[in-house]
């Protein structure tokens, strides 16, 4: 394999070919899962370089993992510890961060390393926004990663990340590596000519073709989510209506560029903070707003009191870091933390030293949340952050003032500072659960992390676990994108308990409730892919060269199972 490494060095330069456990750790280890071996991590600086690296990988018959920001929660872009039948090469796209704003800002063409934060900043002067503005952008997620992994986002009107306009490479059933230009932009014929034009930014208005039959966003979702009588979820990972080439591809092709719609930003917004001790009251609000309001909310985020507490205690440093430095610096902070953890592992100190140090420091820091938020935490178990824009502000104000205060709930209108703090607090929850695990190794076995989509007509949405499951869990966290009925439910399983067994028991209960899972985070290596996804993956990647094993599928070449001599 040394010859292959030399090919990589010739293409991208020696400093952009990483080998060895320490240098590659942050690419092999996911945010929560991962940690398998890799021959090398390659960091191309142009799309042409990425194509040449891909071609070398294809000729060498190695496993190809295309990775962007590596912020996924299910291990979907990192190698698994069990290993494969071939060496693994990770192609990191982080250096490929060119962005083309086209059609007066109504659309963009994004290269693989563009982050949501970068896109948001580029569009802000134009009065436009990307598909996602809050949520994953807090930890540096990429635009292309969101499309490939069925990211749902928290913005209700825009639906899951989706486009039918993509430039990508695949290995077909005959074993040929092909570049497919379905961007709807005329860029030439030869692969390197097409990619060089994008590298140089040579896109003119005359090159752009109208896309009357193809869409660059989920334009139907704003009506789809309003159907509160439907017995199916609004959105979920395996929904066939939104599996199309790059969209939902989960690393089974190599995406070079995507064409995406942007959205007009609301000039005026208002966040309403709602608290209640009755889950049914929040469901009534959801149904009334989706069913009767003229204006859809911008966002509607749910937090349980336990999630509020976890984020308050274990997500404090992330909250304060973003407040002080913005989301731009978060990927650098995570990279620095990974390097520190790698050193501590080598010294035999484990990988949680940085978490314990940070947590110890945060104990000395005063409470960082606005007083009115903390007061609602004390009074109410269930919290709903409702963000409205334009005419919807007065619509929500009139509705809420007529309902509250009541015996079991109340609301207040956030100041700008309170609104920003509330949403940042909500999106620090995910990291807080990872921190909880890291600082409680004596009581916690591991995390069982589920993101589920309940049917749109579900009334009894809040989970009540049976006692025989509850006794196996040290801490439970509930939050989610409430109006879409997408909930994130995470369970810190007690030390010594079987996490897989706990997960299977909970999933069995969810299936009886008509839930689909995962809802928006990709199946990764934690969920078994539904039949619709398995079929989709095999159509995209007939030889199983890209990201094998995703969704608990075959890890081997040509989809062979152990002991088999023929593809299944």
């Amino acid at each position: 394999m040394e010859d292959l490494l030399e090919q990589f060095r010739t293409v991208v330069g020696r400093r952009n070919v990483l080998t060895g456990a320490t240098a590659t750790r942050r690419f092999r280890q996911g945010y929560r899962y991962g940690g398998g071996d890799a021959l090398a991590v390659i960091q191309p600086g142009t799309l042409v370089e990425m194509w040449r690296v891909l071609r070398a990988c294809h000729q060498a018959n190695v496993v190809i993992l295309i990775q962007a920001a590596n912020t996924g929660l299910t291990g979907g872009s990192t190698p698994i510890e069990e290993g494969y039948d071939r060496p693994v090469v990770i192609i990191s796209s982080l250096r490929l961060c060119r962005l083309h704003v086209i059609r007066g800002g109504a659309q963009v063409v994004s290269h693989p390393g563009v982050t949501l934060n970068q896109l948001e900043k580029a569009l802000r002067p134009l009065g436009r926004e990307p598909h996602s503005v809050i949520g994953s952008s807090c930890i540096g997620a990429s635009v292309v990663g969101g499309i490939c992994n069925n990211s749902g986002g928290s913005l209700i009107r825009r639906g899951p990340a989706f486009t039918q306009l993509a430039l990508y490479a695949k290995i077909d059933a005959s074993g040929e590596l092909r570049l497919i230009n379905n961007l709807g932009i005329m860029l030439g014929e030869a692969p390197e000519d097409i990619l060089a034009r994008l590298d140089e930014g040579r896109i003119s208005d005359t090159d752009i073709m109208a896309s009357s039959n193809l869409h660059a966003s989920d334009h139907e979702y704003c009506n789809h989510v309003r159907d509160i009588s439907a017995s199916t979820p609004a959105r979920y990972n395996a929904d066939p209506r939104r599996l199309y080439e790059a969209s939902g591809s989960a690393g089974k092709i190599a995406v070079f560029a995507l064409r995406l719609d942007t959205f007009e930003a609301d000039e005026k917004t208002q966040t309403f903070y709602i608290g209640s001790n009755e889950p049914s009251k929040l469901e009534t609000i959801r149904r009334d707003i989706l069913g009767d309001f003229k204006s859809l909310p911008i966002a509607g985020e749910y937090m349980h009191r336990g999630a509020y507490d976890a984020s308050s205690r274990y997500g404090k440093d992330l909250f304060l870091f973003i407040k002080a430095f913005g989301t731009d610096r978060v990927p650098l902070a995570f990279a620095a933390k990974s390097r520190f953890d790698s050193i501590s592992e080598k010294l035999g100190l484990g990988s949680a030293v940085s978490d314990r140090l940070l947590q110890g420091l945060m104990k000395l820091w005063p409470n960082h949340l606005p007083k009115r938020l903390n007061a609602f935490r004390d009074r109410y178990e269930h919290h709903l952050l409702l963000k409205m824009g334009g005419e919807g502000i007065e619509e929500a104000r009139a509705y809420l003032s007529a309902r509250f205060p009541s015996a079991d709930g109340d609301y207040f209108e956030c100041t700008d500072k309170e609104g920003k703090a509330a949403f940042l607090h909500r999106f620090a929850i995910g990291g807080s659960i990872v921190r909880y695990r890291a600082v409680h190794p004596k009581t916690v076995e591991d995390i069982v992390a589920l993101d589920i989509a309940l049917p749109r007509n579900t009334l009894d949405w809040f989970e009540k676990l049976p006692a025989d499951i509850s006794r196996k869990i040290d801490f439970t966290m509930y939050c989610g994108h409430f109006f879409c009925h997408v909930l994130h439910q995470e369970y810190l399983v007690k030390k010594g308990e079987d996490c897989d067994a706990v997960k299977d028991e909970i999933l069995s209960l969810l299936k009886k409730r008509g839930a689909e899972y995962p809802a928006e985070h990709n199946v990764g290596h934690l969920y078994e892919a539904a039949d619709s996804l398995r079929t989709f993956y095999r159509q995209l990647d007939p030889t199983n060269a890209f990201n094998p094993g995703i969704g608990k599928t075959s890890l081997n070449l040509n989809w062979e199972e152990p002991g088999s001599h023929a593809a299944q």
Side-chain angles (χ1 to χ4, degrees):
M1 285 293 167
E2 187 58 36
D3 289 345
L4 180 60
L5 294 176
E6 280 305 313
Q7 287 185 61
F8 293 150
R9 293 174 184 127
T10 300
V11 173
V12 302
R14 188 167 294 273
R15 64 180 296 181
N16 293 309
V17 178
L18 308 179
T19 58
T22 301
T24 62
R25 183 186 186 277
R26 71 184 179 99
F27 301 93
R28 295 182 296 105
Q29 178 67 53
Y31 190 56
R32 292 183 178 174
Y33 303 99
D37 294 329
L39 173 68
V41 175
I42 316 302
Q43 299 176 296
T46 66
L47 297 179
V48 170
E49 287 183 1
M50 179 174 165
W51 171 256
R52 291 172 179 171
V53 167
L54 193 62
R55 195 168 56 196
C57 289
H58 173 232
Q59 292 169 351
N61 192 30
V62 297
V63 166
I64 304 165
L65 297 187
I66 309 292
Q67 185 184 96
N70 195 17
T71 60
L73 302 181
T74 59
S77 61
T78 51
I80 62 170
E81 293 186 33
E82 293 92 323
Y84 305 81
D85 61 342
R86 296 149 286 167
V88 176
V89 171
I90 299 172
I91 301 176
S92 170
S93 64
L94 289 177
R95 296 176 65 211
L96 306 173
C97 52
R98 186 165 193 134
L99 180 67
H100 312 269
V101 178
I102 62 174
R103 301 183 64 195
Q107 290 186 328
V108 297
V109 175
S110 171
H111 290 207
V114 173
T115 64
L116 287 169
N117 183 267
Q118 177 188 345
L119 178 55
E120 184 182 342
K121 284 187 171 183
L123 294 176
R124 191 176 294 142
L126 305 176
R128 310 286 295 182
E129 290 179 342
H131 164 267
S132 242
V133 175
I134 50 179
S136 296
S137 55
C138 288
I139 53 173
S142 70
V143 174
V144 170
I147 293 287
C148 294
N149 295 316
N150 296 104
S151 170
S154 62
L155 303 186
I156 298 165
R157 306 167 188 168
R158 301 173 192 175
F162 177 76
T163 186
Q164 294 174 307
L165 303 168
L167 173 68
Y168 63 94
K170 68 177 292 183
I171 298 172
D172 64 20
S174 64
E176 181 182 355
L177 178 66
R178 298 169 55 215
L179 184 70
I180 299 170
N181 180 12
N182 286 341
L183 275 178
I185 301 174
M186 295 181 289
L187 296 167
E189 297 297 329
E192 293 204 6
D193 292 341
I194 292 171
L195 298 172
R197 284 191 62 177
L198 286 174
D199 280 330
E200 296 162 12
R202 290 189 284 120
I203 301 177
S204 67
D205 290 341
T206 56
D207 296 325
I208 301 169
M209 297 179 283
S211 55
S212 57
N213 297 322
L214 297 175
H215 300 280
S217 63
D218 187 350
H219 64 292
E220 301 170 338
Y221 190 78
C222 57
N223 297 318
H224 182 73
V225 72
R226 282 187 179 272
D227 188 358
I228 54 176
S229 63
S231 59
T232 56
R235 55 181 170 91
Y236 59 100
N237 192 270
D239 188 352
R241 66 186 283 273
R242 287 299 173 253
L243 297 176
Y244 191 93
E245 295 182 347
S247 296
S249 57
K252 299 303 288 182
I253 55 177
V255 178
F256 284 83
L258 296 174
R259 182 173 161 189
L260 301 159
D261 287 335
T262 69
F263 304 87
E264 187 175 354
D266 290 277
E267 291 185 8
K268 185 178 180 182
T269 64
Q270 175 63 52
T271 296
F272 299 88
Y273 199 100
I274 304 163
S276 179
N277 288 315
E278 291 292 335
S280 61
K281 302 301 181 184
L282 296 190
E283 181 59 28
T284 298
I285 292 172
R286 172 185 170 271
R287 295 177 69 82
D288 287 348
I289 290 177
L290 290 178
D292 301 331
F293 274 33
K294 291 181 180 179
S295 303
L296 271 178
I298 297 171
E301 292 297 305
Y302 168 73
M303 283 188 294
H304 183 260
R305 179 185 282 153
Y308 187 105
D309 291 345
S311 186
S312 177
R313 183 173 180 181
Y314 299 103
K316 184 188 290 188
D317 54 318
L318 179 60
F319 180 105
L320 294 172
F321 184 91
I322 293 172
K323 186 177 179 181
F325 302 107
T327 59
D328 319 47
R329 306 290 181 86
V330 174
L332 291 175
F334 274 103
K337 182 179 180 299
S338 181
R339 286 193 292 271
F340 182 93
D341 290 340
S342 179
I343 293 170
S344 69
E345 281 181 334
K346 277 191 168 183
L347 295 174
L349 302 175
S351 60
V353 175
S354 62
D355 287 291
R356 291 173 186 151
L357 288 173
L358 287 167
Q359 196 57 36
L361 178 63
M362 287 302 102
K363 286 182 179 179
L364 305 176
W365 206 278
N367 191 287
H368 57 294
L369 297 172
K371 291 181 179 179
R372 288 205 290 181
L373 269 65
N374 286 328
F376 263 50
R377 178 264 168 224
D378 294 338
R379 292 169 59 191
Y380 302 114
E381 184 180 358
H382 305 281
H383 300 234
L384 179 61
L385 285 60
L386 176 64
K387 188 173 185 179
M388 303 296 297
E391 295 179 358
I393 296 173
E394 190 53 46
E395 205 172 4
R397 183 176 287 138
Y399 173 83
L400 293 172
S401 63
R403 294 186 62 86
F404 297 111
S406 67
D408 50 34
D410 203 352
Y411 85 101
F412 65 88
E413 294 190 26
C414 294
T415 64
D416 183 60
K417 182 178 179 180
E418 288 173 330
K420 289 178 179 177
F423 276 99
L424 181 51
H425 183 57
R426 155 68 183 89
F427 291 110
I429 290 173
S432 72
I433 301 304
V434 178
R435 173 65 55 77
Y436 190 113
R437 176 181 64 180
V439 300
H440 293 287
K442 294 181 179 179
T443 59
V444 173
E445 184 68 30
D446 207 347
I447 302 170
V448 169
L450 305 178
D451 63 296
I452 68 164
L454 294 174
R456 284 165 283 174
N457 64 358
T458 300
L459 298 177
D460 189 12
W461 59 272
F462 185 68
E463 181 178 73
K464 299 178 183 66
L465 287 175
D468 61 327
I469 299 178
S470 293
R471 66 175 178 78
K472 302 174 185 177
I473 298 170
D474 186 64
F475 181 81
T476 305
M477 184 284 294
Y478 298 104
C479 66
H481 312 309
F482 189 63
F483 285 81
C484 304
H485 258 180
V486 167
L487 297 174
H488 300 286
Q489 304 185 168
E490 307 201 10
Y491 314 86
L492 289 149
V493 179
K494 287 182 179 179
K495 198 72 175 178
E497 295 289 348
D498 186 334
C499 292
D500 287 337
V502 170
K503 177 181 175 182
D504 289 343
E505 289 179 271
I506 295 172
L507 289 180
S508 177
L509 294 174
L510 288 168
K511 202 65 178 176
K512 292 177 183 177
R513 297 171 64 196
E516 294 282 354
Y517 44 81
E520 61 175 5
H521 280 163
N522 186 348
V523 290
H525 291 286
L526 300 183
Y527 295 90
E528 185 171 341
D531 289 343
S532 57
L533 274 180
R534 286 173 178 265
T535 299
F536 181 57
Y537 293 160
R538 291 190 67 149
Q539 289 171 345
L540 291 177
D541 184 20
T543 68
N544 206 23
F546 293 95
N547 205 8
I550 196 81
K552 299 187 181 295
T553 58
S554 170
L555 292 164
N556 301 323
L557 184 66
N558 295 320
W559 299 88
E560 291 188 2
E561 297 295 348
S564 170
H565 297 287
Q568 297 195 7

